[in-house]
Every structure is written in structure tokens, then in C-alpha cells.
């Protein structure tokens, strides 16, 4: 697969603050790319530069083979973006909001009606078209935000924390739609998220901290590098677990044992078959990776202010 985004030596400062420092990475066409970091790490700065909304200090950005410095307008036509905050007018109806946005891409008349029909079916908002946007729930508004970003059939969809605060049903709907589009159109998805289970589904992950890349790789590569495995051992007692001489924590109804890798887990089980009659082995999670890499954890919905 070709690289659809290529960033080399990107730098951006705001006064004394170095928001992005010598940032370099690639995004392949059609992949789900996760860009992770705490608030203030440099994610939004990078996204705003990619979208042509913010100038860079130095470095190069190529999108679909085009130089951001020379082909900004063409690049913008290939990108759809869902920001954390909606760009739509809460006083207008869903239909009028999307009609206004479509006009910016030269979409009107029968082409507009056809595209709205496709998107309203895809994102299940056909009954909402004539309703005022401001009267919709958070999940309903998010569907409209994503429809707005997809109006012009972009090659790259940038999702800046798209599902924060959404109920599980809406979150599942949105990811099903995005997965289908990726499969059918090879659309590339550039994701920032505070949900590590979403990052775990990515093809490639870059973790940014203080404007610099701290780690990158596939979720499996990062888990193998920065976390171990866990054996959840059932139907035993603390004295028996203590005798194993390894790190563990007690959880309801079981003990969670930490081992550095799968080979160690296998050896431990083979050496103590009488103990391991009821157990399961799991990899560390992306939350563990993020904490190991940055020493920080991502904020929860409650800490960020959950949307209804």
C-alpha cells in the first residue's frame, strides 16, 4: 500500500511552547491510523496543520502525493474531518445544515439529494432531516457531524475523538459505518481517541508526548514491547499463588498474575500443571502500553465532561 500521508521533520511553536517537535511518520492508504496522546501533547496542532488551518514552522507534509505548501486547496478536497466540537449551526435543520456544507463542495440539486439519501440511510438519521440540530441528542448530532465530513466522499477521514461521551449503541453504529467505508472505498481513517479499545483496532499507532513521538507500531508490536501477559488464575488460594513467587493482584474470584511474555506464561503452566486447571491468558491492553510509554493515563469521560 502506498503512503497517503507523509510527514517529515514537522515543527510548530507558539511562543516558547514547542507544540510539535521534529515529528515524522507515515500513514498508509486505507488503514486505520491511531494518533494518541494526552491533551496538550500536540495532536490537535498536527491535525490543524494537516488540514491547512494552521501554518507550520518547518518540515514537510505530503498528502496523496501533494505538497501541502503548494496544493492546499486540492488537499482540502480530499479530507473530511470531524472535530471534537461540532461545526454545524444548532439553529438550522439537519437538512439545511448539510445543504449549506455540501454547497461548499459544489454539491447541489439531484447530486445533493442522492448523497443525503445515501448518508441518511447509512447513518440512520433520515427521520431527523427536518429537525432542528440543536434539539437532537449528543449521539444524533455526532451522526450528522460525520455525515457532514463524508458529503464529498473524502479519501481521508480525520476523526478527532469522535465517540467521546457517546452511548455504546451509537458508538457501535459509527464504527460499523466507518469500517464498511474503509472496506468499500479504501478510505483512510486518521483517529485520535481516549478509548483504548478503539486504538487497539488500529492498523498502526503513534503515541505522541510533549510534541514528540514516544512510541509507534501495530497494537500487537506495542503490547509485546511495552507490556507483558496476564494469567487470570481461578479456583485457588493466596498461599498457593504466593508460592509461585511472581507479581500478582487479587481480583474478585481470581488472581491476576503478571508475566513478561507468552513464553514465560507457557513455562509456568507446564511446570505447575496441578495449579493451572482453570485459567486464561491475555495480552496487556493499550491502556498499559500508553501508561508505560508516557507515564500518564488518558482522561475518562467523567474527567472530560461526558456528553449526553
Amino acid at each position: 500500500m502506498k503512503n497517503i500521508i507523509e510527514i517529515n521533520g514537522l515543527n510548530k511553536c507558539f511562543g516558547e511552547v514547542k507544540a510539535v517537535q521534529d515529528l515524522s511518520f507515515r500513514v498508509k492508504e486505507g488503514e486505520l491510523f491511531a494518533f494518541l496522546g494526552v491533551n496538550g501533547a500536540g495532536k490537535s496542532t498536527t491535525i490543524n496543520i494537516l488540514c491547512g488551518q494552521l501554518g507550520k514552522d518547518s518540515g514537510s507534509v505530503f498528502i496523496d502525493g501533494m505538497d501541502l505548501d503548494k496544493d492546499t486547496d486540492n488537499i482540502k478536497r480530499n479530507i473530511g474531518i470531524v472535530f471534537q466540537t461540532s461545526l454545524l449551526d444548532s439553529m438550522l435543520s439537519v437538512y439545511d445544515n448539510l445543504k449549506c456544507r455540501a454547497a461548499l463542495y459544489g454539491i447541489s440539486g439531484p447530486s445533493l439529494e442522492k448523497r443525503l439519501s445515501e448518508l441518511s440511510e447509512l447513518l440512520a438519521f433520515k427521520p431527523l432531516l427536518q429537525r432542528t440540530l440543536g434539539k437532537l441528542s449528543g449521539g444524533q448530532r455526532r451522526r450528522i457531524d460525520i455525515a457532514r465530513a463524508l458529503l464529498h466522499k473524502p479519501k481521508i477521514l480525520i476523526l478527532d475523538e469522535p465517540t467521546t461521551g457517546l452511548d455504546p449503541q451509537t458508538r457501535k453504529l459509527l464504527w460499523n459505518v466507518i469500517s464498511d467505508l474503509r472496506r468499500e472505498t479504501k478510505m483512510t481513517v486518521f483517529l485520535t481517541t481516549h478509548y483504548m479499545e478503539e486504538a487497539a483496532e488500529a492498523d498502526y499507532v503513534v503515541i505522541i508526548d510533549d510534541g514528540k513521538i514516544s512510541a509507534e507500531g501495530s497494537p500487537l508490536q506495542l503490547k509485546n514491547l511495552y507490556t507483558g501477559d496476564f494469567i487470570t488464575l481461578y479456583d485457588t488460594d493466596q498461599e498457593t499463588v504466593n508460592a509461585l513467587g511472581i507479581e500478582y493482584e487479587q481480583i474478585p474470584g481470581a488472581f491476576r498474575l503478571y508475566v513478561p511474555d507468552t513464553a514465560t506464561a507457557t513455562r509456568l503452566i507446564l511446570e505447575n500443571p496441578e495449579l493451572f486447571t482453570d485459567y486464561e491468558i491475555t495480552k496487556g491492553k493499550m491502556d498499559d502500553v500508553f501508561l508505560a510509554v508516557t507515564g500518564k493515563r488518558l482522561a475518562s469521560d467523567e474527567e472530560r465532561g461526558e456528553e449526553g
Side-chain angles (χ1 to χ4, degrees), residues 112-148:
L112 170 65
E113 299 303 322
K114 181 172 184 276
R115 188 60 177 151
L116 285 183
S117 177
E118 292 170 349
L119 290 172
S120 62
E121 185 72 27
L122 196 64
L123 289 159
F125 65 83
K126 190 167 289 188
L128 307 177
L129 281 169
Q130 300 306 320
R131 289 182 60 181
T132 302
L133 188 81
K135 294 182 179 178
L136 302 184
S137 70
Q140 291 170 334
R141 288 197 304 272
R142 211 47 167 166
R143 281 183 263 164
I144 310 307
D145 285 328
I146 291 179
R148 187 265 309 157

Side-chain angles (χ1 to χ4, degrees), residues 57-75:
D57 293 337
S58 61
S60 65
V61 177
F62 288 86
I63 298 179
D64 199 23
M66 296 178 285
D67 188 337
L68 182 63
D69 291 334
K70 300 175 182 177
D71 296 298
T72 305
D73 289 340
N74 286 329
I75 286 173

Side-chain angles (χ1 to χ4, degrees), residues 214-216 221-228 258 288-290 292-293:
S214 296
E216 61 181 306
Q221 288 170 336
L222 292 174
K223 289 176 185 178
N224 285 337
L225 189 57
Y226 292 102
T227 73
Y258 173 81
D288 303 311
V289 171
F290 191 86
V293 168

